Amino acid sequence: MARRTPAPTAAVRALVADGAPHVLRPYAHDPRAAAGEGYGLEAASALGVEPRRVLKTLVALVDEQPLLAVVPVTGRLDLRALATARGGRRAVLAEPAAAERLTGGVVGAISPLGLRRPLPVVVDASAAAHDAVLVSAGRRGLDVELAPADLLRLCGGAYAEVARPSSPRPSSPRPSSP
């Protein structure tokens, strides 16, 4: 039986409809990635690209209003900076189930493109330093590479400095002191 090509995601349909230059970058997704290096670092490794060019899309709430924050997979979202950038007082990450409900995507494949319900988008300013960045195309194992300016335009976003360097993950628990 012939292998079926998966239907295009909402993100891919939005890119095609707009005509924005882009390259789909499929890779073999490992379901264990979330427990290890995370989905974004898995994509960077599998695609052989600099991890700082791969962006993750996080769902956050600023003063209880949902929005998307797009930051490098090598960093962490600075919630205080996000609240400030949006003129709010408090920001928190959405629970995974709420993030999936708000975006129609699954954790590890939430795309800032082609959302069924538009949400405000803040893209970390570091993205502008690259000729091209990669974001999820709406399916685990599928990223899309495009110019940061096109990403910003397509998602109606704004740049702000909302990422901070990621602290290294401990490789094993620290032994307690005697």
Side-chain angles (χ1 to χ4, degrees):
M1 177 176 248
R3 192 171 172 169
R4 295 177 63 185
T5 303
T9 65
V12 173
R13 287 192 303 272
L15 285 161
V16 170
D18 181 80
H22 65 280
V23 177
L24 291 179
R25 304 286 305 268
Y27 61 94
H29 166 64
D30 180 351
R32 299 170 296 186
E37 60 189 4
Y39 298 111
L41 291 175
E42 174 200 22
S45 176
L47 295 171
V49 299
E50 296 172 85
R52 64 188 177 157
R53 289 195 319 119
V54 179
L55 307 177
K56 58 187 170 186
T57 304
L58 303 171
V59 180
L61 304 169
V62 173
D63 296 338
E64 300 184 26
Q65 296 301 309
L67 62 95
L68 300 180
V70 182
V71 299
V73 300
T74 55
R76 296 181 56 155
L77 176 61
D78 183 331
L79 292 167
R80 184 168 294 181
L82 179 63
T84 300
R86 292 292 299 167
R89 298 184 64 171
R90 183 171 184 263
V92 296
L93 283 175
E95 292 294 325
E100 291 178 348
R101 192 172 48 255
L102 284 164
T103 63
V106 296
V107 170
I110 294 173
S111 178
L113 305 168
L115 295 174
R116 63 179 172 194
R117 173 181 159 205
L119 292 172
V121 178
V122 176
V123 178
D124 187 64
S126 66
H130 304 290
D131 293 333
V133 294
L134 291 90
V135 296
S136 175
R139 181 182 304 129
R140 290 179 188 155
L142 182 63
D143 274 15
V144 62
E145 186 171 5
L146 71 166
D150 287 332
L151 170 65
L152 204 65
R153 180 180 57 75
L154 285 163
C155 66
Y159 286 128
E161 293 184 9
V162 295
R164 63 178 178 203
S166 195
S167 46
R169 293 184 184 194
S171 55
S172 60
R174 292 183 183 183
S176 55
S177 307

